[in-house]
Amino acid sequence: MALDKKFNAHEVEPKLAARWDELGIHKFHVDNVKKPFYVIDTPPPFPTGEFHTGGTLNWGYIDFAARYKRMQGYEVLFPQGWDCHGFPTETKVEKKFGKGLPREEFRKKCLEFTQGNIASMKVQMKQMGYSIDWAHEYYTIDPEYHRKVQISLVRMFKEGLVYRQEHPVLWCPYCRSAITKAEAEDLPNKTMLNYLHFGLDGSKEKLLIATTRPELLHACVAVMVNPYDERYEKLVGSKAIVPLYNKAVPIIADQDVDKTFGSGAVMVCTFGDKQDVIWAYRHHLEIIDACDGAGFIKNSGKFDGVQLRDAKEKVITALKEEGVLVEQRPTDQVLKIHDRCKKPIEFLRSTQWFAKLKGNEDKIRAAAHQMSWTPAYTQQLLLDWVDGLEWDWCISRQRVFGIPLPFWYCEKCGKTYTYDEKKLPVDPAKDKPPVAACECGGALIGEKSICDGWVDSSITPLIICGWPDNEEMFKKLFPTALRPQGNDIIRTWAFYTTYRSLMLTGEKPWKDVLVNGMVCGADGKKMSKSLGNYVEAKEVIAKTGVDALRQWIALSGSTGKDIVFSWKDVNYAQSFLNKMWNASKFVEMALEGYSHAEALTQIAEGQSKKPGEELGLFVTDKWILSKLAKLVKKCTDAMNQYDYYGAICALQSFFWHDFCDNYLEDVKHRIYGEDARSKKAAQYALHEVLVTCLKLNAPISPYISESIYLGMGFDKEESEEGVQSIHQTAWPKPVVELENDSAEQAVERMHFVLTEVRKYKAGKAMALNEPLARIKVSGNEAEIRELSDYEPELKAVGKIALIEAIVVPNAEGLKVEID
Ligand SMILES: [Zn+2]
Ligand SMILES: [Zn+2]
């Protein structure tokens, strides 16, 4: 079976992918007792329907790790899940079908939308050659998955880690749901700072207050001043009168007040922002709900029922009429918006379900320290997030498409109830409560809220290891080996998973965390359809094939940093792969009549410490084998550290420069020559280099490596039985005995002389294979002595009849003269 003239990626890729499936080489065997396990807690993506270049990058890293670890002798579990619930699906379905579908119909539409998208993404993931074991696929919409998530909540509930309480929460009036801090985004915005005159109780004087949110005046419950602000010292303890509402509120001193903002006196409304929440609780202030869950003003009297966004203008008009609006100045603000719908969010008092984060910070920190993070600085991102925790995690969402919270509460006293975990899954919106009535006699109400999507996805490492049903498997596999994930979800996915794993198992979830950056468009911004800087993976594949795209992933720099997509880099990757194919074709021709088994027998019989010596290796052979040994070391170290950039750069530099540019030229005269022994030594080295490089390249470019490997029949030479694919072979071990610094130095000098010879010939418009009668080489004594190591090869390769060697004492570096 000869290699084709060119590598036809589009024809070969689907065939090889089907063959790998048939051979089952990506299958995980939990009963394998011979190999250590390597379990990857892969991200369950949200099924958008399209696997864009960013996803390609993430899964590229995962697949490099999976394929590499298999070659290193691990039993690898590369599962794949789908995170189906949550706002994104609901938002998309709402956009398509409008708001107001009946609950069940809406859920059905969400489900259909999800399933269709998953199907098309799977096709793309298979095409990319990701070595996923599809037998370990999971969907968060499965009743089975619901059951496990509910078990996790019931267990935490029983430990007092999940509870229901009234508390101010971040709230999206547009989505009509509580959200978490991690879902809030900052949006720089221009607005007006309004200076208002408040009255002072028992005085004719006025108090100037600046606010960007006059529409919340009706919920003003206090005025705050800094205790060290001389202007207001006397007022502390007295009362201010809120304009429009003629209501008296206390004037309170608090260190958090910024004296330089506005007039230095600020109003507290429940709630304008996070600071208001802090002040209201710190000073036990009355709480007036400023609006309802849909963002309509309430408790104001005159403005009730007006949307918050429309209320501002109306209130300002009223303030003007009353003559209390002193002035308006433009100002910059940072608006908090919901990341999904991009609409402004509010703080609202609401009864929600929480998971207890506060008090568990030290455990999370300790676990973060026990895990190895790549790149190392990403660990700090998690630690910083833990340091900044203010409240517990609000885990309930007032939405439809999600996992029901398995709880009931008493209408009268608020006591909470759940089922025994054997009875799960349940849907309290439909199912009967676990007991007929509360202890107090009150009726039980089923919780209608669903789980925050991070509740679903924060137990993935447990689920893939068999939790909570298969204890034996769980013991074998947990904690998992690796969590690969994006740098954008450290404070959510990495954080919540670490927390939940600790609460449910007492253990950290992973040994290693590998963080990838985002892929940016040519404009340097994160790729997104709305920005139009978007390149689809399938567009790249259609042009270059999968392997070039995968090489680009490895080539795109260190993991963790954001990466700009560039066609230039993809094309470079492709030209390397073409080089690899063409070099292999040369080696294929050169190996005609060569028997590797025979060479190995000869080496074994010789029992030399330096394998290959028995064959009569030339100095150039020793040079390339020495460099190969070092390359294997380098690639192995890099792969162990998830440094795919380091690995691919080392491989490309060796293969392209040392092997193709130099060594292949060095051996041509031996391959085409008559000396059988010399030819065999060269064949042995060619074979060693090519097979090793194919294996080093296999995790990153699986298709072309496999094509050459099988096409040249290397599978039949493996000592291990039953090898049918390069992906079943062992990762090369560096043969340290072959490291040979003196051979490397000699051959580098020889290549220097050859370069000079080629330059000379090019300058004289001579053909490169045209013979030269004589060259002069001068250098110091040691350099000239070394010349004898490579003189015969230099003559043969450069077609030089005579080399005149001249010793120049204390010379630095060789000089070549040709006339
Ligand atoms: Zn929203
Ligand atoms: Zn009760």
Side-chain angles (χ1 to χ4, degrees):
M1 189 174 24
L3 296 183
D4 291 339
K5 194 153 175 275
K6 273 182 143 181
F7 178 61
N8 186 342
H10 300 301
E11 197 187 299
V12 170
E13 286 164 4
K15 280 189 200 157
L16 286 181
R19 187 169 180 273
W20 294 334
D21 271 353
E22 255 167 55
L23 293 174
I25 60 174
H26 309 145
K27 269 204 167 23
F28 173 69
H29 306 94
V30 69
D31 299 324
N32 192 335
V33 288
K34 289 191 206 134
K35 291 180 175 181
F37 292 111
Y38 189 85
V39 178
I40 309 175
D41 178 24
T42 47
F46 175 72
T48 55
E50 212 171 279
F51 208 68
H52 60 78
T53 318
T56 311
L57 181 93
N58 308 356
W59 269 261
Y61 292 154
I62 302 170
D63 196 52
F64 300 162
R67 289 183 184 271
Y68 169 66
K69 289 290 176 182
R70 284 193 202 100
M71 291 176 83
Q72 279 286 21
Y74 287 84
E75 185 66 42
V76 172
L77 173 56
F78 183 172
Q80 190 56 60
W82 301 96
D83 187 10
C84 314
H85 297 305
F87 285 116
T89 301
E90 294 199 21
T91 312
K92 292 218 166 84
V93 172
E94 266 174 9
K95 251 188 203 159
K96 202 167 165 191
F97 299 98
K99 284 194 175 199
L101 280 184
R103 199 178 161 98
E104 269 318 302
E105 204 182 323
F106 183 65
R107 198 198 289 268
K108 225 180 101 207
K109 291 271 183 251
C110 289
L111 207 64
E112 282 167 14
F113 170 84
T114 303
Q115 283 160 339
N117 282 353
I118 288 176
S120 68
M121 287 173 83
K122 265 170 91 163
V123 171
Q124 297 167 59
M125 291 166 93
K126 285 184 178 169
Q127 186 183 18
M128 278 302 293
Y130 300 140
S131 56
I132 295 162
D133 182 354
W134 291 102
H136 291 258
E137 192 181 10
Y138 63 88
Y139 301 80
T140 61
I141 35 173
D142 260 356
E144 247 316 272
Y145 200 93
H146 284 203
R147 179 178 72 85
K148 291 171 185 174
V149 168
Q150 290 192 339
I151 288 176
S152 75
L153 290 173
V154 166
R155 288 192 186 175
M156 285 176 65
F157 174 78
K158 289 192 170 153
E159 301 275 320
L161 292 164
V162 163
Y163 63 91
R164 180 175 180 265
Q165 202 177 66
E166 184 192 83
H167 196 273
V169 291
L170 280 173
W171 186 276
C172 176
Y174 182 78
C175 296
R176 300 185 190 194
S177 176
I179 64 167
T180 54
K181 187 176 162 189
E183 290 165 279
E185 265 176 19
D186 289 341
L187 178 73
N189 187 40
K190 294 227 181 283
T191 187
M192 284 292 174
L193 190 58
N194 305 280
Y195 287 77
L196 315 180
H197 266 153
F198 273 47
L200 285 170
D201 197 21
S203 159
K204 291 231 160 65
E205 280 180 49
K206 301 283 178 202
L207 177 62
L208 194 63
I209 292 206
T211 177
T212 57
R213 303 206 62 187
E215 71 275 20
L216 299 180
L217 262 184
H218 64 287
C220 174
V221 291
V223 168
M224 294 282 163
V225 295
N226 191 291
Y228 302 105
D229 194 335
E230 288 165 5
R231 294 171 292 178
Y232 302 119
E233 253 175 6
K234 317 188 282 289
L235 297 180
V236 174
S238 63
K239 292 205 163 172
I241 310 293
V242 181
L244 296 186
Y245 301 96
N246 204 21
K247 183 178 73 166
V249 296
I251 300 174
I252 298 170
D254 189 289
Q255 311 215 62
D256 286 355
V257 178
D258 177 3
K259 286 196 283 187
T260 62
F261 177 80
S263 64
V266 292
M267 66 175 191
V268 180
C269 301
T270 49
F271 301 98
D273 59 16
K274 191 177 84 188
Q275 189 62 48
D276 284 343
V277 178
I278 294 168
W279 278 330
Y281 280 79
R282 186 182 292 165
H283 298 286
H284 308 286
L285 303 174
E286 176 195 5
I287 290 171
I288 300 169
D289 297 321
C291 67
D292 67 12
F296 292 102
I297 298 264
K298 67 180 201 183
N299 297 318
S300 79
K302 40 194 129 176
F303 300 107
D304 282 6
V306 180
Q307 258 294 342
L308 274 175
R309 58 173 181 270
D310 306 324
K312 187 174 277 185
E313 267 328 296
K314 289 198 160 75
V315 172
I316 284 175
T317 308
L319 288 166
K320 277 182 187 159
E321 281 166 9
E322 198 136 313
V324 290
L325 181 68
V326 181
E327 72 167 314
Q328 290 187 297
R329 282 189 213 160
T331 185
D332 293 318
Q333 68 169 178
V334 177
L335 203 59
K336 292 271 176 210
I337 57 167
H338 183 199
D339 63 354
R340 297 298 183 201
C341 67
K342 310 288 177 197
K343 300 280 195 304
I345 50 185
E346 301 291 333
F347 277 94
L348 232 65
R349 185 165 58 156
S350 164
T351 302
Q352 299 287 343
W353 288 86
F354 295 88
K356 199 166 167 40
L357 294 176
K358 298 300 286 177
N360 290 306
E361 294 96 327
D362 283 344
K363 285 183 193 160
I364 303 172
R365 282 189 198 102
H369 284 293
Q370 284 167 23
M371 303 187 279
S372 161
W373 298 71
T374 305
Y377 69 82
T378 50
Q379 180 193 57
Q380 196 57 43
L381 300 178
L382 186 93
L383 293 171
D384 289 347
W385 184 252
V386 176
D387 291 344
L389 282 181
E390 284 151 343
W391 294 296
D392 284 342
W393 172 17
C394 174
I395 57 168
S396 43
R397 296 290 180 276
Q398 287 64 56
R399 302 294 296 183
V400 176
F401 188 49
I403 300 184
L405 283 153
F407 303 116
W408 282 258
Y409 55 90
C410 170
E411 178 185 48
K412 263 198 198 156
C413 72
K415 189 172 156 63
T416 44
Y417 290 83
T418 187
Y419 267 101
D420 184 273
E421 64 179 59
K422 289 190 194 78
K423 303 261 167 59
L424 304 173
V426 291
D427 184 357
K430 290 190 287 198
D431 296 341
K432 273 202 310 222
V435 287
C438 178
E439 294 165 352
C440 77
L444 292 188
I445 313 232
E447 180 58 64
K448 286 195 186 62
S449 304
I450 55 157
C451 296
D452 172 12
W454 295 113
V455 172
D456 312 0
S457 58
S458 55
I459 57 169
T460 53
L462 281 75
I463 301 247
I464 60 173
C465 292
W467 186 93
D469 308 309
N470 192 338
E471 256 177 63
E472 195 193 332
M473 176 170 163
F474 188 72
K475 258 190 216 147
K476 277 191 203 172
L477 304 183
F478 194 84
T480 62
L482 176 67
R483 154 62 73 86
Q485 67 156 70
N487 62 7
D488 56 333
I489 48 174
I490 288 175
R491 57 191 208 173
T492 46
W493 198 35
F495 169 71
Y496 290 133
T497 311
T498 306
Y499 163 69
R500 297 258 278 148
S501 169
L502 289 167
M503 296 305 112
L504 290 163
T505 73
E507 276 192 87
K508 63 175 185 224
W510 330 284
K511 295 183 188 90
D512 294 354
V513 188
L514 173 61
V515 177
N516 64 265
M518 300 294 112
V519 176
C520 304
D523 56 358
K525 290 187 181 135
K526 184 176 164 180
M527 260 191 198
S528 86
K529 277 201 164 154
S530 53
L531 289 176
N533 60 355
Y534 190 80
V535 180
E536 275 183 42
K538 56 184 170 200
E539 190 187 336
V540 182
I541 296 169
K543 282 203 178 122
T544 65
V546 168
D547 280 338
L549 180 57
R550 293 178 57 119
Q551 284 253 326
W552 166 78
I553 295 167
L555 270 176
S556 55
S558 67
T559 64
K561 66 165 197 165
D562 290 349
I563 286 152
V564 175
F565 178 80
S566 125
W567 278 107
K568 206 180 109 213
D569 294 346
V570 176
N571 292 336
Y572 178 81
Q574 198 184 21
S575 55
F576 172 73
L577 295 174
N578 287 340
K579 191 83 190 171
M580 197 163 211
W581 188 264
N582 292 335
S584 301
K585 284 199 64 67
F586 172 79
V587 176
E588 182 184 38
M589 180 276 298
L591 289 184
E592 245 165 63
Y594 168 77
S595 158
H596 191 58
E598 211 179 287
L600 289 181
T601 312
Q602 200 176 335
I603 288 170
E605 282 167 357
Q607 293 183 346
S608 157
K609 282 208 180 99
K610 296 190 176 183
E613 205 123 89
E614 303 75 2
L615 305 171
L617 295 179
F618 281 31
V619 69
T620 45
D621 304 330
K622 291 177 186 169
W623 165 77
I624 199 74
L625 292 173
S626 171
K627 292 212 117 185
L628 181 71
K630 289 178 183 173
L631 171 74
V632 171
K633 242 194 213 166
K634 221 178 196 175
C635 285
T636 309
D637 286 348
M639 295 298 280
N640 282 340
Q641 290 162 30
Y642 307 104
D643 174 14
Y644 303 121
Y645 177 71
I648 197 67
C649 285
L651 176 63
Q652 287 193 340
S653 158
F654 169 87
F655 194 86
W656 207 318
H657 185 65
D658 295 324
F659 187 59
C660 295
D661 290 351
N662 287 309
Y663 186 70
L664 294 188
E665 297 305 320
D666 294 345
V667 295
K668 274 181 184 160
H669 71 97
R670 295 159 65 191
I671 296 301
Y672 300 125
E674 300 296 322
D675 182 342
R677 183 170 152 85
S678 148
K679 182 172 176 178
K680 190 171 180 184
Q683 285 173 321
Y684 170 75
L686 286 169
H687 181 279
E688 282 304 292
V689 172
L690 183 61
V691 172
T692 305
C693 286
L694 291 174
K695 289 181 181 176
L696 297 180
N697 195 37
I700 291 172
S701 307
Y703 289 115
I704 194 167
S705 308
E706 178 84 313
S707 287
I708 299 170
Y709 181 83
L710 294 179
M712 291 178 65
F714 293 139
D715 53 325
K716 295 176 191 79
E717 300 167 355
E718 294 288 346
S719 56
E720 218 176 312
E721 290 265 312
V723 168
Q724 290 175 286
S725 159
I726 193 168
H727 303 292
Q728 292 173 316
T729 64
W731 183 257
K733 288 203 171 54
V735 189
V736 281
E737 297 79 17
L738 289 179
E739 286 181 24
N740 189 331
D741 290 337
S742 67
E744 281 193 32
Q745 192 182 305
V747 173
E748 254 126 55
R749 292 226 170 88
M750 168 179 145
H751 288 148
F752 166 75
V753 178
L754 277 172
T755 308
E756 295 299 304
V757 167
R758 283 175 191 140
K759 265 192 228 161
Y760 173 84
K761 286 181 177 174
K764 298 272 174 197
M766 293 166 71
L768 283 181
N769 58 2
E770 219 168 302
L772 282 178
R774 190 178 72 143
I775 66 168
K776 274 189 213 166
V777 175
S778 61
N780 65 36
E781 214 176 314
E783 288 164 347
I784 294 304
R785 207 181 316 121
E786 193 187 55
L787 180 60
S788 60
D789 290 347
Y790 57 83
E791 193 176 348
E793 284 198 77
L794 176 56
K795 280 179 168 170
V797 179
K799 302 245 183 232
I800 305 159
L802 182 75
I803 297 174
E804 194 179 319
I806 303 157
V807 175
V808 179
N810 304 323
E812 274 178 47
L814 286 182
K815 271 208 180 101
V816 182
E817 280 175 74
I818 310 168
D819 41 42

